[in-house]
Amino acid sequence: QVQLVESGGGLVQVGGSLNLSCKAVGSIFGLNAMGWYRQVPGNEREMVALVTYSGTAVYHDSVKGRFTVSRDNAANTVDLQMGSLRAEDTAKYYCYADWYSGSKVWDAYGQGTQVTVSS
């Protein structure tokens, strides 16, 4: 069982920066992708940034050039550096990870951390 423990988040002004961190704990073996999703009440959860074990990253179009996702495979952590924040980035951000176990792929989300960007 893998659990994801998030830290960071909070309140920031438009144009500001914020960092999120997440650590995977538990029976960790075969971690694949790690990253971040976000959700606004009433909307579906959307992918913000994902990075594979080998370091290939993908981003939501709206955050390209502003956010950077990185991971430390030895520490089982993934970080999200958020810059040039906009009001529309306000959401609850969830850490994400998937992993192989036997012939199956499993995934999990963290408990979420609120990011609020004020104008």
Side-chain angles (χ1 to χ4, degrees), residues 1-5 22-28 99 108-110:
Q1 187 75 11
V2 175
Q3 290 184 314
L4 303 172
V5 181
C22 173
K23 182 174 179 63
V25 297
S27 301
I28 301 167
W99 64 94
Y109 292 90

Side-chain angles (χ1 to χ4, degrees), residues 2-7 21-23 35-37 45 92-97 99 107-113:
V2 175
Q3 290 184 314
L4 303 172
V5 181
E6 299 144 337
S7 60
S21 295
C22 173
K23 182 174 179 63
W36 298 88
Y37 281 69
R45 193 170 293 185
K92 196 164 189 178
Y93 284 70
Y94 296 87
C95 182
Y96 169 88
W99 64 94
D107 61 18
Y109 292 90
Q111 79 281 3
T113 184

Side-chain angles (χ1 to χ4, degrees), residues 7-21 36-38 48-49 59 63 65-70 79-86 88-94 113-117:
S7 60
L11 177 64
V12 65
Q13 290 188 327
V14 168
S17 300
L18 209 56
N19 294 332
L20 304 180
S21 295
W36 298 88
Y37 281 69
R38 67 186 179 189
V48 177
Y59 296 91
V63 307
R66 301 188 297 121
F67 292 10
T68 301
V69 64
S70 60
D79 296 333
L80 184 68
Q81 295 177 297
M82 303 183 291
S84 301
L85 282 161
R86 305 168 181 169
E88 54 264 38
D89 293 317
T90 296
K92 196 164 189 178
Y93 284 70
Y94 296 87
T113 184
Q114 181 66 35
V115 171
T116 302
V117 184

